[in-house]
Amino acid sequence: MRVIGATTLARDLGQWDPKKAQDEDRDGRRQIARPAYRALADSVRLLVADGRIPLGVALPSERDLAAVLELSRTTITSAYAVLRDEGYLVSRQGSRSTVALPELGSSGVALRDKGFGSGHGGPVVDLTCAAMSAPAEPVQRAFAEGLEALPGYLGGHGLEPVGLPVLREAIAERYRARGLPTSPDQIMVTSGAQHALVLLLGLLTAPGERVLIDHPTYTNAIEAIKRMGARPVPVAVRQETRGWDLDGIRSTARQTAARLAYLIPDFHNPTGFCLDDEGRAELVTIARDTRMTLIIDETMADLGLDAPTPTPVAAFARGAGRADVVTIGSTSKAFWSGLRIGWIRAEPSLISALVAARSALDLGTAVLEQLAAVSMFEAADHVLPERREQLRRQRAALLDAVATDLPDWRCTPGDGGMALWMQLPGPMSTALAATSPYHGVLLAAGPRFGLEGAFERYLRLPYARSEDDLRTAVRGIAAAYRALAGGTEVDRPALVI
């Protein structure tokens, strides 16, 4: 049985301090003492929900954790008892208790079901997900048009492992419009971009192989790489230069012999930064020189708020001695995450190999959703400008709220995307994410977007919610922040903006 060490757990807990385990109402007038065992249980539960404590592992012994955290053993025992009662620990006679997830209640969200947010007097604002609500009328119309077209497909078996020709042509046309010649036989339709990434990792990696990644990066990509048994190798996305360390990518690829990289150069998640054309050309040169295949995640490509839709990285990979560039995309961010349509753009030989490998996972993407996606692409010129303008307004509201309620927080906004990558005054991201639900806000701590506990000084704040929700959320975050700070000023390091 795998056991997480007490030192490792203490590191992942961040700057958790039981002496500051108290909650402040939104009016700032009432302090509610939260017992140390309760605060510890909440922090461990957050790590489990985030996936930073894997399911099935055993927590450290009560004695070891008490020693490392400098708490009484009774406190640890009580915290573990809370976790057992709530389904986050499963005890078996004769063996250690192992980490689990509780059965979800009717709301479908375990954190809400367990009473988070109940003391703040308002609804919970979920900022763990960077995804907008649907543009209702266009989506309804797209599915209605899909239903009208569906009878033409009912005479077949409905299994399309490579995707419907009409959708593959629509996706190829969008690449051609961006200056990248593309034919339908270079496109495979998937059930979302995450599905596309898993398919590619299964074909292009093996256990123990290294995969170069942005740092920070999309949290579910990190998990997908790890689940394949591969080893993610980080290269920093730098705040001070608003971009990628291309020299670092080159040297890391050479030193680690990484044969695969997963990068998000298009309005990067979580920073919003965008790699310029010169950098894209250099990235392709690096990939060619090091014989490294690039998986380019373009899920945010249509969400440029202060910059146009960028040139595809693959456009720089044509000609003699070209590098291998594979592109993945999705309708989730631009249109709606409930429309589970993604795709892979690659050379036809790789598409054929993916079709052969896909049968072990699934046999194709739902036909109706593919037909609806065709209609959404036809409406894109109308829908996307409105979505971008909505995001601009919400980003401005979030920046204003942070400047008002959290003036010592800093960020360098990117040119697009859906989130701000906030720099905190101290390494307290995990502690803040564990405390904020009591103030009506669910947060994704900074270390979710990195490796080995990195980014405790950072927090992703999506602006995909309404302006009112964002302002409400920031007030709740500020209350949690004050509670953690114990009413005193937090030590402020020099910040580079």
Side-chain angles (χ1 to χ4, degrees), residues 2 14 22 60 73 97 100 105 170-171 231 238 245-246 260 273 289 293 322 332 335 343 348 350 356 383 396 405 448:
R2 180 184 170 191
Q22 55 184 358
R73 187 169 175 180
S97 296
I171 295 169
R231 298 168 58 185
R238 301 195 179 280
D245 181 0
L246 295 173
L260 189 65
F273 298 155
D289 292 347
T293 297
R322 66 188 181 188
S332 294
F335 299 130
W343 58 86
L350 180 57
V383 173
D405 294 319
R448 286 192 65 183

Side-chain angles (χ1 to χ4, degrees), residues 315-394:
F316 298 90
R318 292 178 288 160
R322 66 188 181 188
D324 289 329
V325 178
V326 181
T327 304
I328 61 178
S330 170
T331 60
S332 294
K333 301 302 184 182
F335 299 130
W336 183 43
S337 293
L339 182 60
R340 301 306 305 152
I341 295 294
W343 58 86
I344 299 168
R345 183 200 178 274
E347 290 302 307
S349 58
L350 180 57
I351 296 295
S352 296
L354 286 165
V355 170
R358 180 175 185 171
S359 61
L361 295 176
D362 73 338
L363 300 177
T365 303
V367 171
L368 179 58
E369 277 72 7
Q370 292 189 65
L371 295 173
V374 173
S375 295
M376 288 304 300
F377 284 135
E378 292 173 351
D381 289 343
H382 169 69
V383 173
L384 290 177
E386 293 182 357
R387 303 283 273 178
R388 295 185 193 109
E389 184 55 36
Q390 180 182 350
L391 285 170
R392 290 187 192 99
R393 292 194 302 268
Q394 290 168 185

Side-chain angles (χ1 to χ4, degrees), residues 393-452:
R393 292 194 302 268
Q394 290 168 185
R395 182 181 62 177
L398 179 57
L399 285 167
D400 180 67
V402 170
T404 300
D405 294 319
L406 296 162
D408 52 350
W409 289 26
R410 300 289 183 266
C411 79
T412 304
D415 290 328
M418 286 187 169
L420 301 177
W421 187 234
M422 301 299 308
Q423 187 172 12
L424 312 182
M428 58 191 305
S429 185
T430 296
L432 189 63
T435 303
S436 63
Y438 286 96
H439 304 275
V441 189
L442 300 180
L443 297 173
R448 286 192 65 183
F449 303 89
L451 301 174
E452 303 299 331

Side-chain angles (χ1 to χ4, degrees), residues 102-121:
E103 294 184 4
L104 297 180
S106 59
S107 71
V109 182
L111 288 176
R112 293 192 184 96
D113 292 343
K114 298 303 177 182
F116 275 131
S118 59
H120 70 89

